[in-house]
Amino acid sequence: MKKLLPFLAACLVLALSSFIVLRPADAGYQVGDKAADFKLRNVDGKMVSLADNKAAKGYIVVFTCNTCPYAKAYEQRIIDLNTKYAAQGYPVVAINPNDPAVAPGDSFADMQKRAKDKKYAFPYLQDETQQVARQYGATRTPHLYVLTRQGNDFVVSYIGAIDDNSEDAKLVKTKYLENAMTDIIAGKPASVNSTKAIGCTIKWKRV
């Protein structure tokens, strides 16, 4: 029996391995960190990177998806953020980090349909390997990162939520992201530069 125990333990590990989920190896970016560029496929089939927009003063990078109820609740607010801030040099870049094998409805084809139906005026990128989400330390959908250009670099200036009411935009009391943007556009550090992202957990790949 004692000889069988190591064998049974190994079998158990193998059996459970198919349910192990790949999650970020570290905490990701903190405010003040330089964000590495990426190159991800947009819903129009083109590859997009931060360096593409030479006129950008920064970006509002939002990890979001098609299927999460929180992401759906914030969708119009994300569209409105792009309308407001793209003209001021801070366009939205939306990234879907979900594994469609885990979250049906988050496939590239479904992303294309969503972007078309909702008339997205910003890139909607597929993080197919989930490397960018891991690098940023994103854990939720939606999860926002404001990047500010400093020379050729983009520095993280705000991380977290859009506001304090995920259910009803009309009942929002504090607009975290917009308050941060007011400071950032004025050339000042955000007075509140980090809040807790509220949303669905990212659907990480299983191995």
Side-chain angles (χ1 to χ4, degrees):
M1 183 65 183
K2 290 183 178 179
K3 292 181 179 180
L4 283 176
L5 286 176
F7 174 75
L8 292 173
C11 290
L12 181 61
V13 170
L14 288 172
L16 291 174
S17 66
S18 60
F19 297 99
I20 294 172
V21 177
L22 293 177
R23 289 188 171 86
D26 53 44
Y29 293 140
Q30 304 298 315
V31 170
D33 289 347
K34 293 180 182 179
D37 205 348
F38 51 72
K39 191 176 287 288
L40 298 174
R41 182 170 58 155
N42 190 19
V43 288
D44 62 3
K46 297 178 181 178
M47 302 301 289
V48 170
S49 68
L50 299 176
D52 291 340
N53 187 348
K54 305 299 183 185
K57 298 177 182 178
Y59 291 97
I60 300 171
V61 176
V62 53
F63 291 88
T64 187
C65 67
N66 295 347
T67 56
C68 169
Y70 291 92
K72 292 178 181 179
Y74 273 113
E75 184 174 39
Q76 186 57 51
R77 278 173 270 184
I78 292 169
I79 291 169
D80 292 343
L81 287 174
N82 185 69
T83 300
K84 181 173 183 177
Y85 292 110
Q88 300 180 63
Y90 289 84
V92 164
V93 174
I95 301 174
N96 187 343
N98 279 354
D99 178 13
V102 181
D106 277 317
S107 70
F108 187 70
D110 287 316
M111 288 173 59
Q112 290 177 308
K113 184 177 186 303
R114 189 81 181 180
K116 182 178 180 181
D117 290 347
K118 296 296 182 176
K119 298 181 173 60
Y120 287 175
F122 48 82
Y124 188 26
L125 312 178
Q126 184 184 42
D127 186 9
E128 190 171 7
T129 66
Q130 302 183 319
Q131 179 181 351
V132 177
R134 290 195 295 270
Q135 199 165 31
Y136 273 68
T139 60
R140 304 280 172 176
T141 53
H143 202 154
L144 278 80
Y145 295 76
V146 175
L147 308 182
T148 305
R149 185 189 291 275
Q150 293 186 11
N152 293 323
D153 297 319
F154 288 98
V155 176
V156 179
S157 300
Y158 172 83
I159 301 173
I162 294 175
D163 55 44
D164 64 355
N165 196 312
S166 61
E167 296 181 6
D168 192 339
K170 294 179 182 178
L171 298 179
V172 169
K173 294 180 180 178
T174 306
K175 297 182 177 181
Y176 303 128
L177 188 283
E178 292 195 39
N179 290 344
M181 289 303 299
T182 297
D183 289 335
I184 291 166
I185 290 172
K188 302 182 294 184
S191 56
V192 177
N193 60 25
S194 181
T195 58
K196 182 180 179 181
I198 303 297
C200 305
T201 57
I202 289 175
K203 303 305 182 281
W204 303 104
K205 294 180 183 292
R206 294 192 177 114
V207 294

